[in-house]
Amino acid sequence: MSHPHSLLIFGATGRVGGAIVFTLRQQYPTLPITALVRNRTRGERLRGVVFKRGGQRASLTRSELGIIIVNGDLENLGLVVDLVSSADIVVNAAVSESVSLAQAILLGLNNRRKNSREPILLHISRTVLGLHHEEPRSLQLNTRAYDDVDTAEWMAKPPATTSHLVDNEIIQAACPSSFQAYIVAPTIVLGRAHTPLPQRSHQIIRLVERALREKRLVFPGDGTNAGNGVHVQDVVKLCCGLLDNAMSPGHEPPPENPQFFFATSVEFLWSDIAAKIASKLYDRGLIESDRVYSVPLGRVPELCEYSRHARIVALKSRNLQLQPTSNINVLDLIDADLDALLESYGLSVISD
């Protein structure tokens, strides 16, 4: 029997998107899934028997998971509109900071609404990574937390990232008669996902790459700012749980549209993370000292995201019993993420 919904996903070869695909395929073996894949090499992990589609815009393949693979680029906005216009459910786990991509997705959703049922959008946002408290800068001083129930204060702040602008585009476009929208905003995503696809952490990549270039680890400020983390599988559980509810027979869309969810479970100090990375890189002979070098914030603008300070609390997921449950040790997960990142650089062997 065919499934009553069809799903389109952007970011199927990424850590979060890939885990969402594999989880949904296990839960819904007959759900028609289409994935737009730019990287042909990574797409090979999903690829099986190839078949052609007419036209020059994209080639399609049937993956081993029964997923239709579209080889194309998210910058091809016409292709994005066409694909979204044919999907009941759209998951954007790829790019959260492109306003033009968001507008193309919204146009496609409106097209789908005119020709079929009310479509569903699940958008993975980086907005939470831009939230910042000026003072105090320590967990011990009980900084008031941002949450996903009382959103008025932080939503009103000037956008610190383009993700905030994209979220606002979705919020303004999602009215009860157009499409259902779920925005999931994870904090620092840690750990290994349940997917055979190659994985590497994008959360520490700038710190590590600069350290490898300079042969020392530099950090903006003194590292006493607080960070928040969540295991990747808890993000996937929340995303798939929301989609499962939305696809359930007789599901009544919530009056609030879009629904905004934080995904977070643990707090840490960035000084501890920086020290862990410096120690490991030094032990492997990749940098010249295990010391963390503090530099003024303005000296390293590409590392500014690591200087932000905020406490984040996820409240809405608790009401749906989709709250994070992983008992995570941040330093252990950073250790594993760093191993995977170095392996992707061909640096997995300790130097003599």
Side-chain angles (χ1 to χ4, degrees):
M1 179 183 295
S2 62
H3 198 279
H5 295 84
S6 62
L7 184 140
L8 168 69
I9 182 165
F10 305 127
T13 60
R15 180 160 61 161
V16 174
I20 289 175
V21 166
F22 280 86
T23 301
L24 288 175
R25 176 49 75 229
Q26 291 176 336
Q27 293 178 346
Y28 299 100
T30 63
L31 173 66
I33 299 177
T34 299
L36 179 62
V37 176
R38 178 185 61 183
N39 188 315
R40 291 177 179 268
T41 301
R42 290 177 67 85
E44 290 295 333
R45 293 297 186 100
L46 298 173
R47 204 177 291 263
V49 180
V50 178
F51 65 97
K52 301 283 186 178
R53 183 180 77 170
Q56 302 297 317
R57 305 184 85 173
S59 62
L60 279 73
T61 68
R62 176 78 63 180
S63 82
E64 296 172 359
L65 292 173
I67 299 170
I68 295 175
I69 306 298
V70 179
N71 289 121
D73 198 294
L74 288 171
E75 294 180 359
N76 187 340
L77 300 180
L79 173 61
V80 170
V81 173
D82 288 347
L83 291 172
V84 174
S85 298
S86 301
D88 297 314
I89 302 167
V90 177
V91 177
N92 181 15
V95 179
S96 66
E97 299 180 326
S98 170
V99 174
S100 59
L101 173 62
Q103 291 171 340
I105 291 173
L106 295 173
L107 177 57
L109 289 170
N110 284 326
N111 291 344
R112 183 63 173 175
R113 181 66 181 94
K114 294 174 184 177
N115 300 319
S116 183
R117 74 181 87 203
E118 182 180 59
I120 299 166
L121 171 65
L122 175 67
H123 175 76
I124 311 296
S125 170
R126 287 174 54 87
T127 287
V128 69
L129 300 180
L131 297 182
H132 177 64
H133 282 294
E134 291 299 331
E135 297 293 344
R137 297 177 59 82
S138 171
L139 291 176
Q140 288 75 17
L141 295 181
N142 295 319
T143 305
R144 185 172 58 82
Y146 293 121
D147 65 61
D148 51 5
V149 172
D150 184 11
T151 61
E153 178 189 358
W154 60 264
M155 276 287 192
K157 287 179 174 291
T161 66
T162 313
S163 287
H164 199 148
L165 298 176
V166 171
D167 292 349
N168 284 335
E169 288 279 338
I170 297 171
I171 290 169
Q172 292 173 17
C175 61
S177 61
S178 55
F179 60 92
Q180 296 179 55
Y182 300 89
I183 301 174
V184 174
T187 52
I188 300 297
V189 179
L190 303 165
R192 304 287 287 172
H194 298 166
T195 166
L197 294 171
Q199 302 176 46
R200 67 175 186 171
S201 171
H202 291 276
Q203 312 293 342
I204 59 173
I205 191 169
R206 292 186 181 90
L207 274 179
V208 173
E209 288 187 343
R210 188 178 182 106
L212 294 175
R213 289 197 307 270
E214 297 191 6
K215 301 300 180 183
R216 63 173 189 161
L217 193 138
V218 299
F219 193 89
D222 58 11
T224 59
N225 51 309
N228 306 264
V230 61
H231 196 283
V232 60
Q233 283 302 135
D234 282 326
V235 179
V236 173
K237 181 180 80 170
L238 174 58
C239 292
C240 291
L242 293 173
L243 292 178
D244 185 58
N245 289 339
M247 289 189 288
S248 297
H251 169 71
E252 291 292 333
E256 177 190 353
N257 191 30
Q259 292 268 303
F260 203 108
F261 293 85
F262 285 158
T264 191
S265 62
V266 68
E267 296 176 333
F268 58 83
L269 292 177
W270 273 108
S271 56
D272 295 334
I273 304 299
K276 179 71 173 180
I277 294 173
S279 175
K280 187 149 190 169
L281 293 179
Y282 176 70
D283 288 344
R284 292 187 173 215
L286 298 173
I287 60 177
E288 296 172 352
S289 170
D290 62 356
R291 173 187 166 191
V292 177
Y293 292 82
S294 175
V295 296
L297 302 183
R299 286 265 306 276
V300 283
E302 73 272 23
L303 302 182
C304 66
E305 66 184 88
Y306 303 110
S307 67
R308 297 191 179 110
H309 168 76
R311 298 184 67 222
I312 308 298
V313 178
L315 298 179
K316 282 186 178 178
S317 58
R318 296 177 188 175
N319 297 332
L320 299 175
Q321 297 184 336
L322 295 173
Q323 70 271 26
T325 56
S326 298
N327 183 16
I328 66 175
N329 181 301
V330 173
L331 295 182
D332 286 347
L333 293 179
I334 286 291
D335 191 68
D337 282 351
L338 184 54
D339 279 340
L341 184 59
L342 294 177
E343 184 177 357
S344 74
Y345 295 151
L347 298 172
S348 56
V349 178
I350 299 177
S351 302
D352 294 327

